[in-house]
Amino acid sequence: MAWDFSTEPEFQEQLDWVGEFCRTEIEPLDLVFPGAAYSRDPKAKALADPLKQQVKDRGLWALFLDRDLGGPGFGQLKLALLNEILGRYDSAPVIFGTAAPDTGNMEILAAYGTEEQKRRWLYPLMNQEIFSAYSMTEPQGGSDPNLFKTHAERDGDEWVINGEKWFTSAGARADILIVMCTNGMFIVPRETPGVEIMDYPVLHNHIRYNNVRVPADHLLGKPGGAFVIAQTRLGGGRIHHAMRTIAQLRRAFDMMCERALSRDVRGGKLANLQMTQEKIADSWIEIEQFRLLVLRTAWLIDKYKDYKKVRKDIAAVKVAMPKVYHDVVYRAMHLHGSLGVSNEMPFAAMLMGAAVMGIADGPTEVHKITVARQVLRDHKATDGLFPSAHIPTRRSAARERFADLVEAEVGNL
Ligand SMILES: Cc1cc2nc3c(=O)[nH]c(=O)nc-3n(C[C@H](O)[C@H](O)[C@H](O)COP(=O)(O)OP(=O)(O)OC[C@H]3O[C@@H](n4cnc5c(N)ncnc54)[C@H](O)[C@@H]3O)c2cc1C
């Protein structure tokens, strides 16, 4: 049987443990010490490191990485099933070794890195001995990579990088920056002279690269190969965001249902009103549709092990994500009345999350273009004057096939 939507019992057991572990151990940490899981402060590490160790002991650390890289090699489909739990809790991805932007950076280091690059940066990243950031977007152009200007000049045994990037998430706390230049992708240790972080306290950093010199072996992949690497990098990043978005959708949906069953209006429960029922039905259907698209895409990534072959599917997920995220969260927020729009509930932040998902890693419009172009490759123009579905044309072709019978029948009339 090729189509099977069930989860192996052994893995389901792991997922059940994950759900309980997140509720009892990670959520309290997030509520009282947000950011502890990322911190290098010894007191914060004393709280978060034992949790990371428990995850490692269960064999769930960096679950998406292949066995030859030290992960369990479970692949993207199982990562999706895990992420649709982890995505509910701020620090769960980092406690499981599957947090952005490190996962995408690990994937490209694994795919394009030399043995020496893996030894220096990939393995320490996997163990969270170091953190990374991905520095691609520039102030003058984000959606269109043809507008990027950051460039590397070869000078003897070194590359000299000049340019300006912004929205480099976690750039200020990263040990290495993966910098997209017009002529290659480079690994730049953050402490390298010339790396100027313009806005230290924020999460998404504006960075100038002023004559930043890195040794020749800091080039990732081939010279001129940055665009191909970027597609791999962003393909992984996009689908991982979608997996975590399922968790947020379920979270909003659970809140919506709880509210509908708890709140009294006009002599009955909110859940008894048909317009509430419509919101619940629409939300459940949209979440299930989105989840199936995400899981199928994860399955395709595991099958092909080549992001280029699933570009259309990932782009489709990316387009669907902000809409379903917005619509479900908005309905849940609305059913909570004034409390819903206050900062005592998480809906406002979730709504902003939906808007971010429509922009980060490329805006919706650009992904719609990708879907349409890829889909159109499987279709062709008609040779004739009329569309190929033109009924009279098709009927006369069909009549030719049955000419003998048609004549006999006409003769009998
Ligand atoms: C929270 C967050 C985190 C991010 N993290 C990172 C990171 O770690 N590293 C990094 O390098 N970047 C990061 N980014 C940047 C992100 O990838 C860019 O914002 C994104 O690519 C869009 O670029 P832009 O913001 O310059 O928008 P623009 O390119 O200016 O686009 C603005 C709008 O123009 C329209 N538009 C653009 N192109 C087209 C088109 N072809 N057809 C139709 N309409 C179009 C769309 O409506 C789009 O929303 C992050 C962004 C956010 C919001």
Side-chain angles (χ1 to χ4, degrees):
M1 175 64 196
W3 288 89
D4 184 354
F5 296 91
S6 59
T7 308
E8 294 156 24
E10 304 81 54
F11 194 64
Q12 186 57 53
E13 221 174 273
Q14 291 274 43
L15 294 174
D16 294 343
W17 176 82
V18 172
E20 184 64 15
F21 177 70
C22 287
R23 266 189 306 279
T24 55
E25 303 293 338
I26 298 182
E27 189 179 20
L29 187 72
D30 278 347
L31 287 168
V32 184
F33 299 109
Y38 294 90
S39 174
R40 292 167 205 241
D41 180 90
K43 281 191 207 138
K45 279 175 75 63
L47 290 170
D49 285 358
L51 301 183
K52 292 179 188 178
Q53 190 56 49
Q54 284 194 58
V55 171
K56 287 177 185 165
D57 293 344
R58 299 277 313 190
L60 290 171
W61 180 260
L63 169 146
F64 62 104
L65 282 172
D66 285 342
R67 281 174 191 277
D68 56 339
L69 294 170
F74 282 162
Q76 300 291 327
L77 184 56
K78 283 187 170 154
L79 176 64
L81 296 172
L82 181 75
N83 269 342
E84 62 183 26
I85 302 172
L86 302 189
R88 277 192 188 225
Y89 309 92
D90 286 347
S91 61
V94 76
I95 286 175
F96 279 75
T98 58
D102 290 324
T103 42
N105 293 338
M106 284 190 246
E107 282 189 345
I108 54 176
L109 281 165
Y112 299 97
T114 60
E115 280 314 311
E116 175 59 10
Q117 288 172 340
K118 288 180 192 167
R119 190 190 63 74
R120 285 182 71 179
W121 297 298
L122 174 61
Y123 304 131
L125 260 180
M126 282 167 49
N127 294 326
Q128 285 182 6
E129 289 155 20
I130 62 171
F131 290 99
S132 65
Y134 183 63
S135 207
M136 178 188 74
T137 306
E138 303 191 2
Q140 77 286 353
S143 308
D144 182 357
N146 294 312
L147 297 173
F148 296 165
K149 293 185 193 154
T150 302
H151 188 72
E153 279 296 328
R154 187 71 190 245
D155 183 16
D157 288 343
E158 292 179 325
W159 290 95
V160 185
I161 300 171
N162 275 290
E164 185 168 345
K165 300 283 185 183
W166 74 354
F167 279 87
T168 298
S169 298
R173 70 165 183 236
D175 299 276
I176 54 166
L177 302 153
I178 299 195
V179 184
M180 183 173 178
C181 294
T182 50
N183 52 340
M185 195 73 87
F186 292 88
I187 304 160
V188 178
R190 185 175 51 83
E191 296 294 337
T192 312
V195 174
E196 185 187 356
I197 303 211
M198 319 277 293
D199 46 2
Y200 230 84
V202 301
L203 179 58
H204 308 290
N205 296 110
H206 186 171
I207 305 178
R208 285 213 182 110
Y209 296 88
N210 309 305
N211 289 316
V212 172
R213 286 181 173 270
V214 289
D217 64 3
H218 284 39
L219 172 72
L220 181 62
K222 296 187 184 127
F227 285 89
V228 176
I229 300 178
Q231 280 314 320
T232 305
R233 168 68 183 74
L234 296 168
R238 287 166 188 144
I239 192 75
H240 297 165
H241 275 313
M243 296 167 181
R244 288 185 289 264
T245 295
I246 297 171
Q248 290 293 323
L249 292 172
R250 288 180 157 180
R251 181 180 174 216
F253 186 71
D254 287 349
M255 289 188 278
M256 185 190 304
C257 293
E258 183 192 81
R259 172 77 174 187
L261 291 168
S262 315
R263 188 76 171 171
D264 288 312
V265 280
R266 291 183 180 262
K269 294 291 175 200
L270 198 51
N272 295 339
L273 303 180
Q274 286 191 344
M275 274 190 263
T276 303
Q277 291 168 2
E278 185 185 44
K279 288 181 181 59
I280 289 169
D282 285 347
S283 301
W284 187 84
I285 292 163
E286 288 162 19
I287 295 169
E288 290 301 306
Q289 286 173 333
F290 179 65
R291 179 172 186 252
L292 281 177
L293 188 62
V294 173
L295 295 185
R296 179 179 166 278
T297 304
W299 174 78
L300 285 172
I301 298 169
D302 286 341
K303 184 173 156 180
Y304 293 123
K305 301 213 178 304
D306 179 356
Y307 279 113
K308 281 200 289 297
K309 291 199 174 138
V310 278
R311 249 189 104 185
K312 172 183 67 189
D313 307 84
I314 292 178
V317 164
K318 179 74 174 65
V319 170
M321 176 163 48
K323 181 162 181 356
V324 62
Y325 198 174
H326 170 276
D327 292 354
V328 172
V329 168
Y330 187 85
R331 290 180 198 122
M333 181 170 84
H334 191 70
L335 286 182
H336 278 75
S338 54
L339 182 64
V341 295
S342 78
N343 60 6
E344 289 177 31
M345 295 300 286
F347 299 118
M350 292 168 91
L351 263 194
M352 187 50 75
V356 165
M357 288 307 154
I359 291 175
D361 294 342
T364 301
E365 291 90 332
V366 170
H367 292 286
K368 282 188 177 173
I369 293 169
T370 301
V371 174
R373 283 189 179 153
Q374 299 264 329
V375 165
L376 286 172
R377 282 185 193 167
D378 296 333
H379 294 262
K380 61 184 176 63
T382 177
D383 297 329
L385 177 61
F386 298 113
S388 60
H390 186 232
I391 293 168
T393 312
R394 290 186 86 86
R395 185 175 290 127
S396 64
R399 285 175 81 92
E400 268 174 40
R401 183 172 160 196
F402 295 113
D404 293 351
L405 283 172
V406 171
E407 261 175 39
E409 203 168 308
V410 170
N412 287 337
L413 284 175

